[in-house]
Amino acid sequence: MSLLRRLHRWIAEPPEGLEGEIRHSYAMSHYTCLLGLLSHASWVGLFYLLGESLLWQVNVASVLLFAIAIGLLRRGFINSALVVASVEVIAHGCIATYQLGWEAQYQLYLMLSVFIWLLVRGLDIRKRIVAIVSPVAVYAALYAWFGVAGHTPPSHMTAETRDLLARVNLVTCLAVVVGAYSYYIIGIAKAWAADRGQAKESTLDRILELGVMDVSESERQRIRSINFISTCAVGLTAF
């Protein structure tokens, strides 16, 4: 078995006893939290070198929170893990935006939290609304604070460095969204093909051993809703 396949199996294979629709969210959640841990670990050194003492200390705490989230995931507590990760994203997004300003684009991670929660299956509507509305409300508050109140960030970071951070943050957010949606949609597409008796094993299937999701008509309708809400969220982020 190749190293890539072993790594993917360790990340994507749900723990025993995890049943129902939430089982399909395990791999996407695990990949997202691992990326969060690794990216925040890299930011510890970056902000230390830039002399941003508050932010490198915050990133140490972020690494610990993502480690806790991964530990919860490995034990099957997917919703609890995503709550921990979401709290980290909202708190860190607020602190970084306050410290570095709107131009550094750390507020984008608030909208990233919305994208991830849209993909979590087996979640009742009230919890889903809270999980989605909370980061959107914080994003709107930050926008009002910077756009209306005219908050001046305390950091003395140069404009060039802020611009570089903004590009890194934009690329990171897009990579997570594209990766998570692609993994989700590939599973859905395979399920639809299986329904029509047209399922075929691709090279990607053989490398990653992608699983087939069970798809009901309500799930198909939900995918259409996800696409619509995601388009609105992208528009809000760009605004």
Side-chain angles (χ1 to χ4, degrees):
M1 185 183 296
S2 68
L3 176 62
L4 178 60
R5 179 175 290 186
R6 288 199 301 269
L7 178 61
H8 172 75
R9 176 172 291 182
W10 180 81
I11 295 172
E13 188 171 321
E16 294 183 5
L18 193 63
E19 303 293 342
E21 288 189 325
I22 196 67
R23 179 183 178 88
H24 295 304
S25 302
Y26 178 82
M28 179 270 297
S29 304
H30 203 178
Y31 268 115
T32 301
C33 288
L34 280 171
L35 180 59
L37 186 149
L38 294 174
S39 62
H40 284 79
S42 67
W43 287 341
V44 171
L46 173 65
F47 285 120
Y48 180 81
L49 293 174
L50 291 173
E52 296 286 344
S53 58
L54 173 62
L55 291 178
W56 77 256
Q57 293 171 24
V58 167
N59 277 284
V60 170
S62 297
V63 170
L64 294 176
L65 285 174
F66 273 111
I68 292 172
I70 291 171
L72 290 170
L73 276 170
R74 300 290 297 173
R75 288 164 177 77
F77 301 108
I78 295 180
N79 288 338
S80 298
L82 289 177
V83 167
V84 171
S86 296
V87 169
E88 188 286 325
V89 168
I90 293 174
H92 192 179
C94 289
I95 295 171
T97 303
Y98 167 82
Q99 189 72 11
L100 300 178
W102 192 262
E103 294 78 11
Q105 299 296 325
Y106 277 92
Q107 70 277 4
L108 291 179
Y109 293 98
L110 299 175
M111 302 312 297
L112 179 59
S113 176
V114 174
F115 287 125
I116 298 303
W117 278 108
L118 283 171
L119 294 181
V120 178
R121 305 174 73 191
L123 198 65
D124 68 66
I125 187 63
R126 287 176 296 180
K127 292 179 181 178
R128 190 178 300 280
I129 289 174
V130 171
I132 292 173
V133 170
S134 298
V136 172
V138 174
Y139 184 99
L142 285 173
Y143 182 82
W145 191 13
F146 281 88
V148 178
H151 167 72
T152 301
S155 174
H156 299 293
M157 186 179 292
T158 65
E160 291 78 10
T161 304
R162 291 175 201 264
D163 184 59
L164 178 60
L165 285 175
R167 295 182 185 185
V168 170
N169 289 330
L170 178 60
V171 170
T172 301
C173 287
L174 288 176
V176 173
V177 170
V178 170
Y181 269 58
S182 297
Y183 192 91
Y184 184 88
I185 291 172
I186 286 172
I188 295 295
K190 287 183 62 182
W192 287 358
D195 289 343
R196 298 191 299 268
Q198 300 173 351
K200 297 180 180 179
E201 185 183 45
S202 66
T203 301
L204 187 62
D205 294 332
R206 290 193 294 271
I207 295 174
L208 295 183
E209 298 178 332
L210 292 170
V212 176
M213 296 182 182
D214 298 324
V215 183
S216 62
E217 183 57 36
S218 61
E219 182 69 16
R220 297 169 193 257
Q221 181 61 41
R222 181 169 170 270
I223 294 171
R224 301 186 190 101
S225 301
I226 285 175
N227 291 334
F228 172 75
I229 296 173
S230 299
T231 302
C232 294
V234 169
L236 175 61
T237 302
F239 175 74

